[in-house]
Structure formats: C-alpha cells, structure tokens
Amino acid sequence: MPEPELLLTAYRKMVVGRRFDTQATALARQGRLAVHPSSLGQEACQIGAALALRPSDWLFPTYRDCVALVSRDIDPVEALTLLRGDGHCGYDPMRHRTAPQCTPLATHAAHATGLAHGERLKGTDTVALALVGDGATSEGDFHEALGLAGVLRAPVVFLVQNNGYAISVPFAAQSAAPGLAYKGIGYGVRSEQVDGNDAAAVLAVLTKAVEEARTGGGPWLIEAHTYRVAPHTSADDPSRYRPAEETEQWRERDPIDRLESWLRERGLLTEDDIAAAAVAAEEYAAEMRTRFSEDPVVDPLALFEHVFSAPTPQLTEQRAQLRAELGER
Ligand SMILES: Cc1ncc(C[n+]2csc(CCOP(=O)(O)OP(=O)(O)O)c2C)c(N)n1
Ligand SMILES: [Mg+2]
C-alpha cells in the first residue's frame, strides 16, 4: 500500500487533473483547441504513471494522456499546444523527460523500449514508461516492442489503459484474449492486471513494476481496467455505439470519489483538504482560461524547424516557397 502522503498527493493531482481536462474540453467547444481527447475517468492511471516515475525517468504518452503530462508538472498551455494546431508538441521533451504525445497507435512503444535499452547500455538506472490503449495492442508495433523488450530485458513498463473502446470498437470486437495482460506473457514479459480506477492499486503495482525494471528485473506490462467516460474526442458522439447506462455504471466507480472516500474513512483527508483541493483546481482552470484567451503567435516557417538536424534540399526549397508566399520576412 502506498504511503498516505503519496495518496494525498495523488488525490490533489487527480482533482487538478480533472479540472484541467474539463477546462480543455470547454476550450475545444469554444474553438480555442482544435480537438480534445478527454482523460475523464482515467485519472487514476494518469497520475499513477506520473507518480511512479522519478524526474529522471521517461514517459511516453499518447494523445489521451494530457492529465499525465500536467501531473508531471508540464505547463498546461504547453501540454495543449499540439491540440491548438501547432506542428510541435509544445513542451521540451528532453527537459521534462517526456516524449511528444503519440497519435499513431503504438509506434511509441518501440521508442520507449529503445530508449530504455539505450539508457541501460549507458549505465544509467533510467526507466521508460509507455502508455498504451487497448486498441493499440492490436498494432504490429506493440508486438514488436514487446518482443524486443522481452529479449533485451529492457527497463521499460507498458501501462495498457483498457478503457473498453478503440473509438467505437468495443473490447470484445478487438480481442478474444481473456485479458490484454496475456499479450505480455506471450513475449516473456511479466504482466499483471489492476483495477485502473483504484488509484492506490495502480500506484502500488506501477511503483513495483518501475522499481523492478530499474533494478534489472526486466520489463513489465500492466493492464489497467478503466473506462473513458467522455467521448473519444470532442468530435465524437458515443451515443451511437454505447448505451448511456454503461457509462453511468462506470461513473459510480469514479476514481476520484473512490480515493476521496477511502482517505476520508481513514481520517487522512478532512473537509478542509477537500475544499482546498477544489480551490486549487479552480485557480488552475481560471489561469488556463486567461492564458488561452490570447491568440498564440505562430510562425508558419517554424514548421520546417527540428525536422532534421540539417534540413534536406527539399525542405529548404519548400521553406523558400512558403516564405515567398507569405511575403518577404
Ligand atoms: C496507426 C494508427 N491507426 C489508426 C489510428 C486512428 N485512431 C486514432 S485513436 C484510435 C483508437 C485507439 O484506441 P485505444 O488504443 O484503445 O486508445 P483510446 O483512444 O481508447 O485511449 C484509432 C483507431 C491511429 N491514430 N493510428
Ligand atoms: Mg481504448
């Protein structure tokens, strides 16, 4: 069981993370973001990922995982820059030891494995944690990454957030496996299932996996059972593919409510603590609104930066064309 202090930190981060998420959904509705894939209902997995890692460890997130980013203390405007339509990920991956959010499903699983193996070759004790969706486990890249991680015994942990759906495709149409943890076992990767809406359980199992990977025990796959309460993105209508009663049932297993009552019952969380967390979350959202009310300054030519260390002749030509179109600068 994680220490009470860590669970209190988890609670506060989940409350702020949820407020960040609902604010981001509102910003998408107002046209301030192009789109927003909400983490609503998956906060226990998101803060579990952020809190199980040391600052020196690497996180490999997907488009779903903005709450993990802000829980890792990435600035909220930077975390949402990509969703604002910018060509770059918004934050400095090297500084935050957090890869750009990955939209192509599972390609980052191989990157995480490679980085983890490379760190071990360099003699560091860095661990990489890749967040993966249930649908992404059907991708070839996921299987290649697991195969390699198993053979290399790379210090990498895969957290599969099984939220029941890949957009409109339910789990039953995705896989006939009894669970996704079996996919790890097939590659010799130790695997476990966890209640993904139980923050204490997620933290306990992830911390164990990360520390075992760090000390030479090889990779882990954790399948967390959770649910995407919100639409796939702000451009989706889930009523077309899942019953409202199902979503309501999962609301009753809300990860924040569960942690809150667990901490309260043990006298670890007072009414004042709850009120203070809510105030901090509102302040966070208010600052987001202020900062997002300003239009970002975007230089169209920045599109060509950071693609290659030395630009290719084609890119140089395309940049010159765009520059001419924009007028002399
Ligand atoms: C390689 C690839 N194929 C298809 C898509 C389109 N796509 C975007 S999200 C998604 C569903 C992914 O579901 P899952 O992995 O369960 O993640 P979730 O959205 O539920 O977090 C698909 C098919 C993509 N982004 N990348
Ligand atoms: Mg899914």
Side-chain angles (χ1 to χ4, degrees):
M1 177 60 65
E3 293 295 319
E5 203 47 52
L6 181 61
L7 291 176
L8 275 174
T9 302
Y11 173 77
R12 292 190 190 108
K13 282 188 178 282
M14 284 165 80
V15 171
V16 170
R18 174 163 298 178
R19 191 64 191 85
F20 159 85
D21 192 80
T22 51
Q23 187 60 58
T25 297
L27 289 168
R29 290 207 185 105
Q30 292 159 11
R32 291 269 162 207
L33 299 179
V35 70
H36 178 58
S38 171
S39 306
L40 196 70
Q42 298 183 215
E43 293 88 351
C45 296
Q46 305 270 315
I47 54 98
L51 292 178
L53 296 177
R54 293 182 187 169
S56 52
D57 292 331
W58 271 83
L59 179 70
F60 284 76
T62 76
Y63 53 87
R64 177 76 57 216
D65 304 314
C66 275
V67 170
L69 300 189
V70 294
S71 303
R72 247 202 144 189
D73 296 332
I74 293 179
D75 179 87
V77 176
E78 291 185 10
L80 293 170
T81 292
L82 188 72
L83 300 174
R84 237 176 166 179
D86 199 294
H88 299 299
C89 82
Y91 48 89
D92 180 348
M94 301 303 281
R95 183 173 144 230
H96 294 287
R97 310 281 273 185
T98 303
Q101 286 178 279
C102 192
T103 300
L105 302 178
T107 52
H108 64 310
H111 305 160
T113 304
L115 182 134
H117 182 58
E119 287 293 329
R120 208 169 54 149
L121 291 179
K122 284 194 262 174
T124 76
D125 65 357
T126 298
V127 175
L129 172 65
L131 297 167
V132 188
D134 44 293
T137 71
S138 296
E139 290 285 343
D141 283 315
F142 176 74
H143 294 266
E144 291 171 30
L146 276 185
L148 197 63
V151 169
L152 296 173
R153 294 182 62 73
V156 59
V157 176
F158 305 95
L159 174 62
V160 180
Q161 294 181 79
N162 183 351
N163 62 9
Y165 289 87
I167 314 184
S168 56
V169 178
F171 181 75
Q174 184 73 243
S175 174
L180 294 173
Y182 287 81
K183 295 194 181 185
I185 292 166
Y187 290 104
V189 172
R190 292 164 305 167
S191 303
E192 234 173 69
Q193 303 191 49
V194 68
D195 178 342
N197 283 19
D198 179 342
V202 172
L203 263 172
V205 74
L206 270 184
T207 308
K208 181 184 81 168
V210 166
E211 291 316 312
E212 285 192 16
R214 190 187 311 288
T215 48
W220 268 99
L221 184 156
I222 309 296
E223 177 187 13
H225 294 276
T226 183
Y227 192 81
R228 161 171 65 70
V229 173
H232 173 70
T233 68
S234 45
D236 172 48
D237 173 10
S239 70
R240 294 177 61 190
Y241 57 82
R242 66 183 192 188
E245 305 81 65
E246 181 185 285
T247 313
E248 282 316 306
Q249 277 167 14
W250 277 92
R251 278 187 194 276
E252 285 166 21
R253 299 177 213 168
D254 184 85
I256 299 183
D257 291 349
R258 281 173 67 180
L259 183 58
E260 189 175 295
S261 47
W262 193 91
L263 289 167
R264 277 167 82 149
E265 277 163 23
R266 283 155 187 81
L268 299 168
L269 188 73
T270 64
E271 294 304 320
D272 285 352
D273 293 331
I274 294 169
V279 167
E282 282 312 318
E283 284 172 3
Y284 193 92
E287 197 187 326
M288 280 173 74
R289 288 194 296 276
T290 306
R291 292 178 64 199
F292 273 97
S293 66
E294 289 157 22
D295 286 330
V297 181
V298 178
D299 176 7
L301 293 173
L303 194 65
F304 297 96
E305 284 166 22
H306 311 301
V307 181
F308 297 101
S309 56
T312 61
Q314 290 89 341
L315 279 185
T316 307
E317 195 187 319
Q318 288 168 15
R319 188 180 187 283
Q321 275 174 7
L322 181 62
R323 200 174 161 188
E325 254 178 56
L326 294 169
E328 276 312 303
R329 283 167 173 257

